[in-house]
């Protein structure tokens, strides 16, 4: 079984933690199993799903091979990747594009916040350009749920 992949990108640790928790909750509520691939800037809190902590660098370059191994080893319907703030959106997009094969949905989501847009406009622009979807930090849960269902072909 090839798990579908959802990757969460962005600068805000709190926003990624909140989005990861909501994604796990929605996927489990729909009957899907989830494995979290945690490469966040700090370890994620308990999300109620198995977690593989990817340490030693960023999944977009330094430990890309470890990410590929973790995805191949995942025994879940969905592998939820939480990327660090340092992840280069273009490199991660290229890596994820290589994982798009028949039978596997891949979705990269840029989680945008006003602080990043103001302080790091170049990064905000790269996130918007290279992610499949760019979402503001206040996206309603119902919209998030419809997006996940549409991508995973429910």
């Amino acid at each position: 079984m090839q798990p579908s992949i959802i990757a969460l990108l962005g600068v805000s640790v709190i926003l990624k933690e909140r989005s990861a928790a909501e994604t796990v909750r929605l996927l489990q509520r729909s009957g899907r199993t989830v494995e979290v691939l945690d490469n966040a800037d700090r370890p994620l809190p308990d999300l109620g799903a198995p977690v593989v902590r990817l340490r030693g660098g960023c999944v977009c370059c330094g430990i890309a091979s470890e990410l590929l191994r973790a995805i191949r080893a995942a025994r879940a319907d969905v592998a939820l990747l939480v990327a660090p703030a340092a992840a280069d959106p273009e490199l991660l997009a290229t890596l994820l594009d290589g994982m798009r094969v028949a039978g596997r949905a891949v979705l990269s989501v840029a989680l945008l916040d006003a602080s990043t847009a103001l302080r790091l406009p170049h990064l905000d622009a790269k996130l918007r350009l290279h992610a499949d979807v760019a979402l503001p930090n206040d996206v309603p849960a119902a919209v998030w749920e419809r997006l996940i269902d549409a991508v995973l072909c429910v």
Side-chain angles (χ1 to χ4, degrees), residues 52-103:
V52 174
R53 179 81 176 139
L54 302 171
R55 298 183 179 105
C58 177
V59 292
C60 69
C61 51
I63 60 169
S65 60
E66 188 177 336
L67 171 63
L68 296 172
R69 280 192 297 277
I71 289 173
R72 276 195 294 270
R75 299 292 174 240
D77 300 320
V78 178
L80 176 62
L81 169 63
V82 182
D88 181 283
E90 184 175 4
L91 289 175
L92 191 54
T94 300
L95 183 64
L96 292 172
D97 282 345
M99 295 181 204
R100 295 178 197 271
V101 295

Side-chain angles (χ1 to χ4, degrees), residues 5-9 92-93 96 100 106-110 130-134:
I5 303 164
I6 298 175
L8 302 178
L9 311 125
L92 191 54
L96 292 172
R100 295 178 197 271
V106 177
L107 173 67
S108 62
V109 180
H130 295 290
D132 296 318
V133 177

Side-chain angles (χ1 to χ4, degrees), residues 13 24 27 32 46 49 58-59 73 76 84 89 95 100 112 120 143-144:
V13 172
V24 167
L27 290 168
R32 293 183 184 90
D46 181 12
C58 177
V59 292
L95 183 64
R100 295 178 197 271
L112 305 173
L120 304 165
V143 171
W144 188 238

Side-chain angles (χ1 to χ4, degrees), residues 14-34:
I14 294 169
L15 183 54
K16 286 187 284 191
E17 287 177 354
R18 189 173 66 223
S19 297
E22 181 68 10
T23 303
V24 167
R25 186 184 69 76
L26 291 171
L27 290 168
Q28 289 176 336
R29 191 173 78 195
S30 70
R32 293 183 184 90
T33 57
V34 185

Side-chain angles (χ1 to χ4, degrees), residues 98-154:
M99 295 181 204
R100 295 178 197 271
V101 295
R104 172 188 282 161
V106 177
L107 173 67
S108 62
V109 180
L111 303 168
L112 305 173
D113 63 305
S115 177
T116 301
L118 290 172
R119 293 183 302 121
L120 304 165
H122 61 287
L123 180 57
D124 184 79
K126 280 185 84 169
L127 286 165
R128 291 173 188 274
L129 178 63
H130 295 290
D132 296 318
V133 177
L135 297 176
N137 65 352
D138 57 352
V139 66
V143 171
W144 188 238
E145 183 174 21
R146 284 194 299 272
L147 173 65
I148 291 170
D149 286 347
V151 169
L152 299 180
C153 300
V154 173

